[in-house]
Amino acid sequence: MNSLIENIDKLHTTEMGVERIKKNLQMEDSDVVQWCRVRILDKNAVIERIGKNWYVTINNYKITVNVHSYTIITAHKVKK
């Protein structure tokens, strides 16, 4: 198990992060941290660490999380 899953309770984002993610995913009134947490914990999620970030790909979404602070930087739909 990787440290992102082990520390999933530390997952958070900033106010700017919330706005960015809602805009990117065209979400209305959603808890973006919870939305990301559910996808990161999905057994089909592909989690890879590149440099200072975790990149989580699940279905048509990609979530970027800082390795050290567990801050969700962004999430967006993957263009096919």
Side-chain angles (χ1 to χ4, degrees):
M1 189 180 304
N2 70 38
S3 66
L4 178 58
I5 302 284
E6 290 170 2
N7 292 285
I8 197 73
D9 57 315
K10 296 180 182 176
L11 197 68
H12 67 282
T13 192
T14 62
E15 282 185 37
M16 282 177 56
V18 169
E19 296 309 313
R20 182 181 317 112
I21 294 164
K22 282 185 177 183
K23 179 175 165 247
N24 289 351
L25 301 179
Q26 291 140 6
M27 299 169 93
E28 296 280 323
D29 297 324
S30 295
D31 179 343
V32 298
V33 174
Q34 184 59 26
W35 186 93
C36 290
R37 186 175 286 133
V38 166
R39 275 133 195 97
I40 291 167
L41 292 173
D42 189 295
K43 65 180 174 54
N44 296 314
V46 176
I47 302 172
E48 58 183 339
R49 179 179 173 169
I50 302 173
K52 63 183 171 78
N53 293 325
W54 291 108
Y55 294 92
V56 182
T57 307
I58 177 73
N59 299 330
N60 292 332
Y61 300 103
K62 190 167 218 174
I63 304 165
T64 307
V65 180
N66 180 276
V67 166
H68 304 291
S69 65
Y70 301 98
T71 304
I72 305 164
I73 298 164
T74 191
H76 58 272
K77 290 182 182 176
V78 177
K79 294 181 176 80
K80 289 191 171 184

